[in-house]
Amino acid sequence: MFCLKGKSLITINVNEEDYELLIRPSDILLDTLRNQLGLTGAKPGCNNGDCGTCTVLVNGWPVKSCLMLTAEAVGKKITTVEGLKAAPIQKAFIEQFAFQCGYCTSGFLMVCHALAGIHPDPPDIVIDEWLQSNICRCTSYEEIGTAIRTVLDGKIE
Amino acid sequence: MGSIGVGKTVIRKEAWEKVTGQAKYTDDFISNHILTAQMVTSTYAHAKIQNIDISSASSLPGVKAVLTGEDYPVLFGQLIEDHPPLARDKVRYYGEPVALVVADSAFTAAKAAAMIHVLYEPLPVINSPLQAVDTNAPLVHEKMIMYQIVKEDIYPNYDTNICDQKKIRKGDAEKAFEQCDVIVEAAFHLPQSDHIAMETRSAQARIDASGTVYIKSASQSPFSIKKIISKIFHLDQSKVIVEVPFVGGGFGGKAPVQLEILAYIASAAVGGRAVRLTNSRENDIVSSPCRMGLEAKLKLGASKDGMLQSVQMKYLVDTGAYSDIGPTLTKAIIVDCTGPYKIDNVHCDAFCVYTNHPYVTSYRGFSHASSAFCIERMMDKLAQKLNMDPAELRYKNALCPGCTSPTQVKITSSNFGNLNSCILKLKEIINWSEGTRMKVEENIIRAKGMACLWKTSNSPTDAVSGVFLTFNPDGTINLNCGCVEYGPSMKTTAAQILSEKLKMDINHISVNMDVNTKYSPEHWKTVASMTTYMLGRAVLRAAEDVIRQLTSIAAVALHCPREDLEVAEEKVYVRHDPSLFLPFKELVHGYKFLNGNAVFGPILGQGSFIMNDLNILDQETGKGKSGPFWTVGAQAVEIEYNKKDYTYRFIKAATVIDAGRVLNPKMAEGLIKGGMCMGLGLGSRESFSYDEEARVLDTSLRTYKVMHFGETPEYLVSFIETPQIDAPYHARGIAEHGIIGIPAALGNALSLAAQAEFDELPLVPETIWRMKTGGIL
C-alpha cells in the first residue's frame, strides 16, 4: 500500500507507456485518462459504474475506470481502446454491425477482448454475465453477442 | 473491389474510427484553458424561489461566474416561448436548472455548486395529466397568455394547464356507435420515461472578439441551435456557428435546444472564454427533457363481422413543465390515431398539458409507441369480444389504397405500402398458426401478441435539406450535408445513394461526419426517420447537377453531343462506343487541352430539397397532410409467463416492415432490432416514478433500468418492399419504427398469458401481481 497526501506526482503505465502525472488523491482514472492523457476512447456514461462506457483493462481484466482512483493504477498495466492493436474483436464489431452511435463501443470492446483472453471457450452464461456489465442503447445486443462468438470461434483473421 | 450502390450491405463509413476510440464526441474536445460549467438544480417540483445565495460560491478561488435566472431574463421554446434558460421566480419541475457556476475546473465547479443555497417556498404540485385538467388545478404557467407563440397551429387554453389542443372530426362517430354490434372501452396510463442515450448531452460555447458565437454540441439539430440562439439574443444568424461532431445516440432527446443556451450565457458571463457544460447522468435524466407521458380513454366499435365502424378517443399528453415539442407530439397522435386501420367515423381530442414533471421532447417513434399501445390493445380487446383471431381482425381492417387517413389524406400504395403483406409475413415468421397461448409446463404459459404500426412525419411544411458535392483532382468526391451522424448510418446512406446514381465505387465518396452550420447546407433536423427521404432527394439532385456538368465538359472534349454521353465507374463515355471516354480526373477540375489551354473550372455540385405538399391541419377537423408518406409494419412478441411468481421472459420478437426498398440490409435489420430492444425496455421496465411532491425517483441507471445483454429474445426481422415512388430508390424511413408496436405486442401477449387486461406500462411483475391478486398478499 502506498499513501497519497494532497496533490502528488505518480507514474502510471497506459498502453505500454509510462506517464508521470500530478494528481489529486480523489482523481478517478477515467478523468485522468481523458483530461491529462487525451485518451478519450473511454467515455463517461454515468460515473456510477452502471453503464460500462468507461471500461478499460487493468492487468488484462475489465474495470470501470469511473470507479477506480488514478492512484490505484500505480504499478498496474492499463489498456484503453487506443491500446488495442488490430484486435479481432474490433473487426468483428464492424462486420457484425455491433455498434451504431459508437459511444458504448470502446467499453464493450474492452470487455469482449478481455473475455476472449481469459475465457477462450466460455459457456453462454459466462458471456451473458460478462457483457451484462455494459449498456448499449442502439443495438439489440444480439449483434454484440454474434461479434464475440465469431472471435471465440476463431472466425476472424 | 469496391461496392456500388444501394440494396447491398455496406459497412458504415466511420466504422474504424468507432472501434479505435478515434471518433470524437462533443466532450472529447478538451483543452487546458476551457472553463467548466455546472448547473445547480431544483430540489422541488413546484416552488417559489425566495432567495438564491451565491455569495460564498462566487468568492471561491477558481470560480469565474455564477449565473441565476435574473441574469438573462429571456424565454425560449420551439413552439411556445415559455421556458427560461435558468428558472426565474419559481421552479416548475424537480431538477430544473436554477443556477450555473463557471469555474476553472470541474472540481471547483462542483465545489461551488454545492455552496449555492436556494430558499424555496413549496407550491402545490401537478403530479399527473389528470390533475392538470382538474377545474381547480393550480397553474404551472400563470402567464401563459403573455407567451410568444412561434408556430401558427398552436391552440392554448389560457388560464388552464392546457397549452395545446388538437382534434380529429371525421364522419359521425356518435351516430356510428349506435350501429355497432360490439363496443370496447378502456383507459390507459403510460408514464414518462427517458431516452438514455449513452452520451449525455453536452455543449461548449465561446465568443470571439468580433462577437461571433461558436457552439459545439451533441445535437440532432445544429441549425435549430443557430436559429434559437440568434433569435433570443438578437444576433445575426451568420454570427452563430454551430458545430456537431459525432453524437452518442439521440433517439429524439438531442433534437431540442437547452444546454447550448446555458453554455452561451456562461461564456458571455466570462468575456467569451470557452466553456463546456456536460450533463451528469442524473441531470441528463431529470434536468434535460425526457419522453412524454400519456393518459388515454378510448371507445372502439365494430359490426359483428369485425369491421371497425367508429372510434372515440381522448388523450392527455403529459408535456411536463415546459411545452418544447409537446404540441407536435400531440398532433402526431391525432394524425395517426386510428392505427393503420380503416375507420370512417373518428372523434379524437388530444390535449397537451403542463404538469410539474420534467419537460418532454421527441423520442423515437414520436408519440406513436404510446398511441399504438392504446389502439393495439383495443384491437385485441375487440378481437376477444368478437371471438376472432386478432391477426384476422387486423388483416380485415388494414388500410389500403382508396381509403383515407384520419386527416383525410388519400392512401395509395406508394405513400402507405402494404400492411396486409406485413401481417401475413409476420404470421409466418412467428408461427402464429401454431396457437397464441400454450401451457408448456406446470405454471408456465407461452403466449404471443401482435401489433401493427404506422407512422408519418410531422415536420414543418417547409423543412429543407441540401447537399454540396466537390471533387478531388483524382476524381473522388466529397459529399457535404447538414445531417448529424448519431447512429443510424445516414451519412453512409447518402454515399450509397450517390454511388448508385453515379454508378461509382462508394469507397471513392467521402462524407463529412461532423456538421458545421457555416459550411454545411441546412438540413432541418436529423429526426423523424426523414433523412433518407429528404437528404436522399437532395443527393439525387446534386448528382444530376454534376452529371450535367461532367457531360457538358466531356461533350466539348470528346467532340460529341451531350446526350450521347453516359456516366459510370468514374468515367464519362460515349454510349454507342464506350471505348471513347474520359475519366473523372480529367474533367473535375476543368478540362485542359493538349496545348495547355483550359476551359470550364472545378465542378461544384449542389442539390436541395424542400417538403412540398404538406399543410397545416384544420383546427376543427384535423384535415390536412402532415407528412409525405407512412411506413407500416406488423410486430409480435412471444413470452413465457410464470403464473406462480408473475414473472415472464422474452422468447421471440418479430417485425415485418414495408421498407419500400432496403438500401443497406444488415444496417436496416440492425436499426429494426435496436428499436425492438428499446421497445421491450419500454414495455417491461422503463418509467419514471414520482414521489407525492412530483420528484422523479429514478434518476440514475442504478434505479432506471434499461435492457441489458442476455435479457433479449430471439429477433426475427423481415422486410416487404412496396415502392414509394417519390423516395430515393423507393426507400421509406425505417429508423424509428422498430420500437413502435413492441410495447403493445408485449401488452397483448401478457394479457393473453395472464388472462388479465394490462392497460398500463411498464409491465413489471409487480403490476401483474397487483392485477392478478388485487395487491393483497
Side-chain angles (χ1 to χ4, degrees):
Chain A
M1 272 301 275
F2 80 112
C3 178
L4 290 186
K5 285 190 180 141
K7 281 191 179 174
S8 309
L9 207 56
I10 58 151
T11 300
I12 61 171
N13 183 282
V14 181
N15 300 334
E16 298 182 352
E17 280 184 53
D18 282 342
Y19 295 90
E20 198 173 61
L21 303 168
L22 187 64
I23 62 155
R24 287 189 185 88
S26 61
D27 282 351
I28 57 170
L29 182 60
L30 173 65
D31 290 344
T32 303
L33 291 171
R34 292 173 55 82
N35 299 339
Q36 292 208 48
L37 303 187
L39 294 171
T40 55
K43 308 291 185 200
C46 67
N47 277 13
N48 199 39
D50 298 324
C51 78
T53 55
C54 65
T55 307
V56 299
L57 305 187
V58 179
N59 291 343
W61 285 80
V63 169
K64 289 165 177 171
S65 62
C66 73
L67 293 184
M68 182 168 168
L69 297 172
T70 308
E72 295 178 285
V74 174
K76 302 192 173 77
K77 283 191 169 302
I78 308 297
T79 311
T80 70
V81 70
E82 291 91 345
L84 290 185
K85 300 277 185 297
I89 193 67
Q90 291 170 297
K91 201 172 170 203
F93 262 54
I94 291 176
E95 287 177 357
Q96 299 307 325
F97 285 61
F99 56 91
Q100 290 176 28
C101 81
Y103 197 85
C104 74
T105 312
S106 307
F108 264 109
L109 286 170
M110 300 320 282
V111 177
C112 291
H113 185 67
L115 173 66
I118 293 166
H119 293 286
D121 188 20
D124 285 352
I125 181 77
V126 171
I127 298 178
D128 285 358
E129 282 182 353
W130 273 61
L131 271 59
Q132 268 169 10
S133 60
N134 290 36
I135 298 173
C136 169
R137 195 65 164 157
C138 299
T139 73
S140 71
Y141 293 111
E142 191 179 80
E143 303 87 337
I144 296 172
T146 311
I148 179 68
R149 279 185 186 88
T150 60
V151 171
L152 294 169
D153 296 347
K155 285 182 187 158
I156 290 279
E157 289 297 303
Chain B
M1 183 56 201
S3 165
I4 289 180
V6 300
K8 51 181 101 51
T9 289
V10 174
I11 300 292
R12 58 171 62 241
K13 286 262 167 197
E14 75 284 15
W16 279 101
E17 289 165 86
K18 285 183 172 173
V19 296
T20 50
Q22 289 167 357
K24 294 270 188 208
Y25 301 77
T26 298
D27 203 39
D28 294 340
F29 293 86
I30 304 163
S31 62
N32 289 333
H33 59 271
I34 196 165
L35 301 173
T36 301
Q38 182 168 331
M39 53 171 90
V40 176
T41 61
S42 165
T43 49
Y44 287 90
H46 200 194
K48 273 189 189 155
I49 300 173
Q50 288 191 326
N51 184 43
I52 304 180
D53 179 3
I54 62 167
S55 54
S56 51
S58 301
S59 56
L60 189 71
V63 171
K64 305 295 180 188
V66 178
L67 298 165
T68 67
E70 300 304 321
D71 293 309
Y72 286 92
V74 293
L75 292 172
F76 72 100
Q78 22 184 347
L79 303 169
I80 303 172
E81 292 185 344
D82 58 2
H83 196 165
L86 293 168
R88 281 185 76 205
D89 305 328
K90 74 171 187 173
V91 293
R92 295 184 174 88
Y93 68 100
Y94 172 73
E96 179 166 7
V98 289
L100 194 63
V101 176
V102 190
D104 57 6
S105 69
F107 185 81
T108 312
K111 208 166 159 182
M115 291 161 69
I116 290 173
H117 302 291
V118 187
L119 191 62
Y120 295 103
E121 182 193 328
L123 296 168
V125 296
I126 303 284
N127 205 359
S128 77
L130 286 171
Q131 280 177 17
V133 294
D134 254 8
T135 34
N136 295 320
L139 296 179
V140 179
H141 293 265
E142 297 86 353
K143 295 176 187 164
M144 203 188 346
I145 198 158
M146 311 283 283
Y147 294 155
Q148 195 78 31
I149 293 182
V150 185
K151 290 275 151 66
E152 50 274 76
D153 59 341
I154 310 289
Y155 313 107
N157 197 341
Y158 296 119
D159 298 318
T160 73
N161 287 310
I162 298 169
C163 68
D164 191 23
Q165 180 184 1
K166 299 281 198 276
K167 297 180 208 170
I168 295 287
R169 300 288 185 268
K170 186 184 174 190
D172 188 341
E174 206 176 325
K175 199 168 152 205
F177 275 119
E178 290 167 15
Q179 316 294 321
C180 289
D181 301 310
V182 184
I183 292 173
V184 285
E185 290 183 72
F188 299 88
H189 312 279
L190 309 175
Q192 289 187 331
S193 60
D194 197 46
H195 307 80
I196 317 286
M198 295 318 296
E199 178 204 28
T200 60
R201 295 162 179 97
S202 178
Q204 299 181 1
R206 69 182 171 91
I207 306 163
D208 76 8
S210 75
T212 303
V213 180
Y214 294 85
I215 306 274
K216 191 190 290 286
S217 173
S219 172
Q220 296 173 242
S221 311
F223 297 90
S224 300
I225 298 171
K226 179 175 81 170
K227 287 176 202 165
I228 287 179
I229 288 189
S230 77
K231 183 177 179 196
I232 56 181
F233 298 108
H234 309 291
L235 299 162
D236 282 355
Q237 289 188 358
S238 65
K239 291 276 191 193
V240 182
I241 294 168
V242 182
E243 191 188 340
V244 175
F246 282 117
V247 174
F251 314 112
K254 289 172 181 164
V257 181
Q258 183 199 25
L259 296 193
E260 298 83 359
I261 296 170
L262 295 174
Y264 167 74
I265 60 175
S267 176
V270 293
R273 276 188 70 177
V275 176
R276 67 199 268 223
L277 174 62
T278 296
N279 270 348
S280 65
R281 178 56 66 188
E282 291 75 9
N283 284 345
D284 210 53
I285 290 176
V286 287
S287 301
S288 286
C290 63
R291 174 175 178 266
M292 70 179 216
L294 185 67
E295 300 276 339
K297 265 184 121 159
L298 273 67
K299 180 177 169 188
L300 178 66
S303 48
K304 57 179 178 291
D305 57 357
M307 300 311 293
L308 301 178
Q309 302 297 335
S310 188
V311 69
Q312 191 179 339
M313 322 170 126
K314 183 180 173 184
Y315 289 101
L316 298 178
V317 172
D318 181 355
T319 195
Y322 298 102
S323 59
D324 193 74
I325 201 80
T328 315
L329 288 164
T330 310
K331 174 184 168 218
I333 290 180
I334 63 146
V335 163
D336 291 337
C337 65
T338 54
Y341 307 114
K342 182 180 181 297
I343 310 179
D344 290 335
N345 302 289
V346 185
H347 183 111
C348 175
D349 286 308
F351 300 89
C352 184
V353 299
Y354 289 125
T355 66
N356 291 117
H357 290 161
Y359 76 104
V360 312
T361 192
S362 45
Y363 180 101
R364 189 179 205 160
F366 207 71
S367 52
H368 286 70
S370 304
S371 52
F373 183 83
C374 303
I375 191 76
E376 293 296 325
R377 285 287 299 120
M378 293 298 282
M379 290 297 278
D380 261 42
K381 289 172 198 287
L382 187 66
Q384 195 186 10
K385 211 160 175 180
L386 287 160
N387 200 19
M388 186 182 273
D389 174 8
E392 193 195 335
L393 179 67
R394 288 174 171 88
Y395 187 89
K396 270 184 134 164
N397 288 286
L399 279 168
C400 55
C403 305
T404 61
S405 79
T407 66
Q408 304 179 50
V409 175
K410 203 175 96 194
I411 301 293
T412 68
S413 167
S414 173
N415 73 14
F416 182 79
N418 191 331
L419 179 61
N420 274 340
S421 295
C422 295
I423 295 172
L424 292 178
K425 184 76 188 171
L426 180 80
K427 285 176 68 176
E428 181 191 320
I429 64 175
I430 197 78
N431 199 3
W432 189 261
S433 60
E434 74 174 344
T436 51
R437 189 178 192 276
M438 281 171 291
K439 187 174 166 183
V440 286
E441 53 186 275
E442 188 63 25
N443 293 321
I444 304 289
I445 306 288
R446 216 176 242 234
K448 298 180 185 115
M450 73 173 288
C452 291
L453 66 96
W454 72 332
K455 181 184 182 293
T456 187
S457 60
N458 288 275
S459 72
T461 55
D462 57 353
V464 297
S465 186
V467 166
F468 290 139
L469 299 178
T470 54
F471 285 84
N472 300 300
D474 64 357
T476 58
I477 297 188
N478 310 308
L479 191 162
N480 176 3
C481 60
C483 79
V484 173
E485 181 55 70
Y486 54 78
S489 181
M490 46 282 277
K491 305 277 192 176
T492 308
T493 305
Q496 268 188 295
I497 292 170
L498 183 62
S499 157
E500 176 79 27
K501 183 73 184 174
L502 296 180
K503 304 185 193 75
M504 167 173 181
D505 182 353
I506 192 170
N507 296 313
H508 292 172
I509 298 168
S510 87
V511 189
N512 63 316
M513 284 297 156
D514 55 335
V515 174
N516 185 315
T517 58
K518 190 169 180 176
Y519 309 115
S520 304
E522 177 163 347
H523 179 80
W524 162 53
K525 295 177 183 177
T526 313
V527 298
S529 307
M530 276 292 128
T531 308
T532 299
Y533 180 70
M534 296 175 59
L535 177 65
R537 291 284 300 261
V539 169
L540 289 175
R541 286 180 182 168
E544 278 162 15
D545 186 26
V546 298
I547 289 170
R548 185 184 50 74
Q549 296 184 53
L550 284 161
T551 50
S552 299
I553 301 172
V556 171
L558 293 169
H559 306 285
C560 70
R562 200 167 74 86
E563 62 267 27
D564 283 359
L565 294 171
E566 285 281 344
V567 172
E569 293 174 3
E570 291 150 70
K571 285 183 262 194
V572 181
Y573 63 91
V574 178
R575 190 180 298 110
H576 53 270
D577 182 3
S579 69
L580 294 173
F581 69 89
L582 281 168
F584 276 9
K585 64 180 173 190
E586 289 185 32
L587 299 166
V588 295
H589 271 217
Y591 182 70
K592 194 160 90 173
F593 292 99
L594 285 174
N595 70 357
N597 293 165
V599 288
F600 300 102
I603 293 179
L604 305 173
Q606 59 93 18
S608 67
F609 178 77
I610 187 164
M611 294 285 194
N612 71 352
D613 63 346
L614 307 184
N615 41 45
I616 307 278
L617 305 187
D618 181 83
Q619 186 184 353
E620 290 308 317
T621 64
K623 186 177 179 183
K625 184 172 178 184
S626 92
F629 63 90
W630 283 271
T631 300
V632 302
Q635 300 187 291
V637 173
E638 183 174 353
I639 55 158
E640 231 172 56
Y641 169 65
N642 187 328
K643 284 163 74 174
K644 212 170 165 190
D645 62 9
Y646 312 105
T647 61
Y648 60 94
R649 66 187 187 97
F650 304 125
I651 306 296
K652 287 178 186 169
T655 297
V656 182
I657 292 268
D658 191 336
R661 170 112 186 255
V662 178
L663 298 184
N664 190 353
K666 207 158 172 175
M667 190 66 236
E669 201 181 294
L671 285 175
I672 299 298
K673 286 197 293 194
M676 288 158 83
C677 183
M678 228 170 167
L680 292 170
L682 270 190
S684 66
R685 63 201 69 189
E686 291 185 40
S687 69
F688 280 176
S689 40
Y690 321 89
D691 68 9
E692 285 179 358
E693 301 301 316
R695 288 178 289 227
V696 178
L697 299 173
D698 330 85
T699 60
S700 82
L701 296 175
R702 192 74 45 99
T703 46
Y704 186 99
K705 286 296 183 190
V706 299
M707 293 287 284
H708 280 70
F709 194 96
E711 297 175 316
T712 54
E714 179 189 349
Y715 291 98
L716 306 165
V717 178
S718 189
F719 293 102
I720 302 292
E721 295 186 315
T722 308
Q724 183 196 332
I725 307 297
D726 57 328
Y729 300 108
H730 305 154
R732 297 170 200 281
I734 55 165
E736 297 168 277
H737 302 75
I739 197 171
I740 294 173
I742 292 291
L746 173 64
N748 287 337
L750 198 58
S751 296
L752 182 65
Q755 295 185 311
E757 294 298 309
F758 295 108
D759 297 336
E760 63 182 295
L761 290 175
L763 296 165
V764 294
E766 189 184 330
T767 310
I768 306 167
W769 164 76
R770 215 172 346 100
M771 181 68 89
K772 291 299 285 182
T773 63
I776 299 153
L777 284 166

